[in-house]
Amino acid sequence: MSHNNLSDLVAARMETARVKADQRMSAAEAARARAGLRVEEAEGFVRPTKQEIAQVRSEARAQGKQLADDLRARGAALKAGR
């Protein structure tokens, strides 16, 4: 094998390795940016107070009861219509 062919092969391998390294660096930088966003999001999260949780639960219960009452009324109307 001539010196030029060998040099060309080495240069091609080096270029391939450089491209792969650039791709890995880009992927690592993107992952680091995503992780940074997650950290910022987590730091900004404020846990709701017990009172807020109780309020949401009571509202959900009230909505559930209202829905159940509506469904019972609709069922009774359907039975009466038969």
Side-chain angles (χ1 to χ4, degrees):
M1 194 176 264
S2 74
H3 180 65
N4 286 339
N5 286 342
L6 187 56
S7 294
D8 291 343
L9 287 174
V10 169
R13 292 280 183 150
M14 291 295 291
E15 180 63 19
T16 302
R18 188 191 61 75
V19 168
K20 286 182 181 179
D22 287 345
Q23 289 172 345
R24 287 185 187 130
M25 286 298 293
S26 295
E29 288 170 358
R32 189 169 126 202
R34 286 191 305 270
L37 290 174
R38 287 189 195 124
V39 167
E40 288 177 15
E41 184 178 303
E43 288 174 348
F45 177 76
V46 177
R47 184 175 177 90
T49 64
K50 289 183 179 183
Q51 292 83 9
E52 290 171 330
I53 293 171
Q55 177 68 30
V56 169
R57 284 181 178 162
S58 67
E59 289 172 6
R61 264 191 226 103
Q63 286 179 346
K65 287 179 182 178
Q66 181 64 43
L67 180 60
D69 291 343
D70 292 346
L71 288 174
R72 284 188 200 105
R74 200 181 297 171
L78 287 173
K79 278 186 179 180
R82 286 186 195 174

